[in-house]
Amino acid sequence: QDELDAFLGANMQHQSARELSRRASMHHADKGGEHKEHDVHEMGVDEAWDRLSHTLQGGAPEAYRKRASYARHEAAGHMAAIGRRSFNWKRLVAVSAIGIPVAIGVLWYVNKLGEERALIRSLSGADARAYETSYGQYVNVTLDDSTVVRLAPESRVTVPKLFGLGLRVVKIEGAAFFDVTKEQELPFEVRSGDVIITANRTSFAVRRYKDDPALVVHSRKGALDVRSGENTRNVAEGMAFLVTPAGEMRVPSADELSEGSSWVDGTVSIVGRDLRYALPLLKRWYGLDIHVEDQKLLERTVFISADITSKKAAIAAVEQSGGMRFTYIGENMAFQDTLPSRGGRRTKATKP
């Protein structure tokens, strides 16, 4: 179509130039010779039709026939040249081989981008459902596709309004255990920040609190995929992966894995951390709001591996590993130093 438009435009311009040239020649002849009045003959309908019929039937004057023949040959030659250029099959095949996949890729990307934006809006929309827990609280939520979500303390799971209707994705903040019981054509997705976990008929734990240095995902049953940016890793059954905020993926250490998912098995694990780090976790997992007057105690290293339902076991682990004791100062729970060589203020203590 572009070639045809160009051809018609070029020929119209050519004919216009010829007509202007003819008129200029006539005007020049009129100036150089004797001025004559030109009678303007007004052509009637019958005469115009008669001339047109003669032209169509080949009965036009000789000059008209020559001009028409020349125009036909010129047009035929031009169109033949265009035809040779337009139907270069090798070039067409080469362009198609490159262009079609690129076009398909662009369309796929645009479509995927639109889906991603719609999904993000659905997770942040006012009509999305949110389930959340407080200190020491655990909640089980059954989604519309029969997936069971167990929320750990201080956690939140967001479920879009259209979950199960073209969407099968949730967003997690904190820690949760997902038991995806039914396999469907549309995989189940869990999102936490920039990390996307995809699963089907899989049970897995995810942990990423705001103060956590990285996300930990542990597949308990079945396999799943973990994606961060352009990196995707398959996590086999029984395996775990750690994803840093920068998108780095690696297998977590035994201690990192224990802290990340041991709560699913009913154990709170804090391995070789200072008391400053452990105190907020004691409040998260057990609801224990414990104060420390001696700031030096906050640097003590503690080890905790206690039943998730036993506050007494958690306190005992801190006392034994950190060289301190639990007490009350007024109505406030507190830890005090039991190692004289390390100093620390003394207050009359009462048993919890």
Side-chain angles (χ1 to χ4, degrees), residues 64-74:
Y64 282 14
R65 284 199 298 272
K66 286 183 178 179
R67 265 193 303 228
S69 176
Y70 174 78
R72 285 196 297 273
H73 284 296
E74 187 181 49

Side-chain angles (χ1 to χ4, degrees), residues 122-345:
S122 70
L123 286 171
S124 58
D127 56 358
R129 292 172 291 167
Y131 304 90
E132 55 187 317
T133 55
S134 186
Y135 307 115
Q137 184 181 18
Y138 301 84
V139 170
N140 288 338
V141 179
T142 301
L143 305 180
D144 294 340
D145 66 345
S146 299
T147 295
V148 178
V149 184
R150 187 185 184 197
L151 277 179
E154 284 193 288
S155 299
R156 175 188 177 99
V157 64
T158 303
V159 184
K161 181 180 180 181
L162 296 178
F163 183 89
L165 301 173
L167 287 178
R168 202 176 176 218
V169 58
V170 298
K171 181 174 67 175
I172 181 66
E173 300 165 72
F177 177 74
F178 296 89
D179 188 10
V180 187
T181 58
K182 291 186 177 180
E183 183 173 0
Q184 298 184 13
E185 183 178 353
L186 188 67
F188 181 81
E189 277 190 13
V190 174
R191 298 194 170 209
S192 176
D194 297 329
V195 180
I196 300 174
I197 301 164
T198 307
N200 243 332
R201 290 188 64 83
T202 308
S203 298
F204 60 97
V206 180
R207 169 172 164 162
R208 188 183 195 178
Y209 287 97
K210 290 181 180 179
D211 52 355
D212 283 344
L215 175 143
V216 175
V217 55
H218 184 196
S219 178
R220 297 300 187 92
K221 179 182 177 181
L224 52 85
D225 290 326
V226 179
R227 177 161 63 91
S228 178
E230 299 298 322
N231 298 324
T232 301
R233 299 290 180 89
N234 180 264
V235 183
E237 181 174 332
M239 297 297 293
F241 259 90
L242 180 147
V243 186
T244 68
E248 177 191 355
M249 294 187 186
R250 61 176 174 84
V251 175
S253 67
D255 292 344
E256 290 170 331
L257 178 58
S258 180
E259 288 191 8
S261 70
S262 64
W263 68 272
V264 177
D265 301 316
T267 302
V268 172
S269 180
I270 302 174
V271 185
R273 303 282 192 169
D274 58 38
L275 186 60
R276 180 180 286 104
Y277 176 87
L279 287 178
L281 299 189
L282 289 173
K283 184 175 182 180
R284 171 182 295 160
W285 297 106
Y286 297 100
L288 293 169
D289 190 10
I290 303 177
H291 299 272
V292 174
E293 288 191 344
D294 186 355
Q295 296 298 300
K296 292 181 180 180
L297 288 181
L298 296 176
E299 300 175 6
R300 296 274 181 92
T301 300
V302 297
F303 293 80
I304 301 174
S305 180
D307 189 287
I308 207 165
T309 62
S310 177
K311 298 179 182 180
K312 184 176 181 180
I315 291 172
V318 174
E319 289 178 318
Q320 183 176 355
S321 62
M324 59 190 81
R325 64 179 176 179
F326 176 82
T327 186
Y328 276 88
I329 300 178
E331 295 183 353
N332 296 323
M333 293 180 286
F335 280 122
Q336 289 185 331
D337 193 5
T338 59
L339 302 178
S341 60
R342 299 190 185 185
R345 293 179 59 186

Side-chain angles (χ1 to χ4, degrees), residues 38-44 47 51:
H38 295 281
D39 295 330
V40 177
H41 175 63
E42 195 169 312
M43 187 182 300
E47 185 180 355
R51 288 193 181 188

